[in-house]
Amino acid sequence: MLHPLIADPSATRHILKKFKLRAVKGLGQNFLIDAGIVRQIVEAAEIFAGEDVLEIGPGIGTLTQGLLETGAKVTAVELDKKLPAVLKETLAGYENFRLVEGDILKINLAELMPRRFKVAANLPYYITTQILLTLLEKNLPVTKIVTMVQKEVAERMTAAPGSKIYGALSVAVQFRSEPRIAFEVPPESFLPPPEVTSAVVVCDVRKPPFDVDEEFFFKVVRTAFAQRRKTLLNSLASFGKEKLLVSGIDCKRRAETLSLEEFAELSINLK
Ligand code: SAM
């Protein structure tokens, strides 16, 4: 069956008009209208036929169509109650598509995706961080996460210690994966265009490099960055100043200067 391409400005306008829809700002709806970008995302995810892929927020099915064309089994979670009727029509005939209606932050992903899977998504920007942290939970068999995010978030995900934008998100993403910015995407590739430049980040998920109590490790990281301008001695005082002073890490330093390894060492010593 030959499907008309959704990733095109006039096709997208036609679908929105036909279903009397407007992009809902509060739901982060900026629909892709650039077939080249869809192709680049699919290529970056290195998807092959038969594998499980999770998409977050399929919208009117633009990226979904590119994913389905690979022959992968695509599960898409969409919150907007108006969109299932649209997707039923735009993606009609794709046997490898499963739509789940609901909130990605509330769904039990371990149950929904029990086998190894990849994620490909043009994320709703108002909840990017929460979604990324949910996907990086330790119990999920996810192997690769390819997401469109704001360029500024992409830079935080991949930031190195010592830079102003290095924070809890950088540590969480880099603890669980090897992230890289694949390419940037200009506002004109979307309808309506967002106010920011976007970027696609590829995260190759791997086993964490250090053997730590992860819950406690992240508690230390979050606490240290909650008051990032303070020295570790002040921001982490609640864990015990004595332990801090003998931890082997200079407590006059700030959280933003600590490498992943140093956070791991600190969390072991503070426990
Ligand atoms: N994938 C489509 C595309 O590339 O054109 C749409 C991407 S749009 C940036 C984000 C999508 O996420 C919208 O369809 C929006 O309704 C959906 N969304 C917003 N919040 C969500 C949530 N909590 N759970 C699932 N989907 C959500």
Side-chain angles (χ1 to χ4, degrees):
M1 181 170 175
L2 196 63
H3 291 86
L5 192 68
I6 308 167
D8 168 85
S10 53
T12 299
R13 276 195 196 93
H14 173 76
I15 292 166
L16 293 178
K17 195 167 167 203
K18 180 171 175 190
F19 287 89
K20 298 191 175 64
L21 289 175
R22 269 165 192 257
V24 183
K25 210 174 173 186
L27 285 175
Q29 291 182 352
N30 298 96
F31 302 115
L32 267 171
I33 49 171
D34 186 330
I37 299 294
V38 170
R39 198 172 44 245
Q40 276 181 273
I41 296 175
V42 173
E43 277 171 16
E46 299 176 309
I47 291 166
F48 53 84
E51 77 176 327
D52 286 326
V53 175
L54 171 70
E55 187 191 359
I56 296 143
I60 61 171
T62 317
L63 173 60
T64 328
Q65 185 177 42
L67 298 169
L68 289 167
E69 285 291 334
T70 65
K73 289 191 224 150
V74 180
T75 299
V77 179
E78 175 57 61
L79 181 61
D80 187 344
K81 290 194 163 41
K82 289 189 178 158
L83 293 174
V86 181
L87 291 163
K88 205 169 166 205
E89 184 169 315
T90 56
L91 301 178
Y94 284 105
E95 304 275 322
N96 45 341
F97 178 54
R98 168 169 72 145
L99 177 66
V100 177
E101 294 178 46
D103 183 339
I104 190 67
L105 298 178
K106 294 194 182 143
I107 270 170
N108 182 336
L109 283 177
E111 234 170 59
L112 188 70
M113 306 299 292
R115 298 187 311 161
R116 285 161 65 89
F117 70 99
K118 289 178 178 163
V119 174
N122 170 16
L123 290 180
Y125 291 171
Y126 73 107
I127 42 169
T128 304
T129 305
Q130 294 100 302
I131 294 178
L132 288 170
L133 295 179
T134 304
L135 294 173
L136 293 165
E137 284 277 327
K138 64 178 172 186
N139 59 344
L140 292 178
V142 59
T143 57
K144 205 184 220 358
I145 303 173
V146 179
T147 51
M148 174 93 72
V149 297
Q150 291 178 51
K151 185 182 164 199
E152 177 251 319
V153 175
E155 287 168 349
R156 278 169 44 211
M157 291 166 73
T158 53
S163 78
K164 280 210 172 75
I165 53 171
Y166 178 71
L169 179 66
S170 329
V171 175
V173 169
Q174 293 168 31
F175 184 74
R176 288 237 159 261
S177 76
E178 282 174 21
R180 67 182 169 86
I181 297 179
F183 54 93
E184 288 184 14
V185 183
E188 309 85 77
S189 296
F190 305 85
L191 185 84
E195 279 150 24
V196 291
T197 297
S198 302
V200 170
V201 183
V202 177
C203 296
D204 285 309
V205 183
R206 53 141 166 70
K207 204 169 155 280
F210 312 105
D211 189 15
V212 289
D213 172 342
E214 292 184 23
E215 213 171 296
F216 189 72
F217 171 81
F218 283 114
K219 196 172 164 195
V220 171
V221 172
R222 274 195 310 271
T223 314
F225 280 111
Q227 296 169 305
R228 58 184 296 140
R229 299 188 61 84
K230 288 194 174 174
T231 63
L232 295 172
L233 193 60
N234 288 320
S235 62
L236 295 177
S238 59
F239 291 92
K241 286 199 173 179
E242 296 300 311
K243 286 190 202 164
L244 271 167
L245 290 168
V246 294
S247 69
I249 307 274
D250 177 0
C251 295
K252 290 203 268 329
R253 289 170 63 186
R254 292 176 179 174
E256 67 206 45
T257 68
L258 260 61
S259 66
L260 233 57
E261 191 173 2
E262 288 172 317
F263 268 119
E265 205 181 314
L266 197 58
S267 82
I268 290 167
N269 285 308
L270 289 183
K271 217 166 165 232

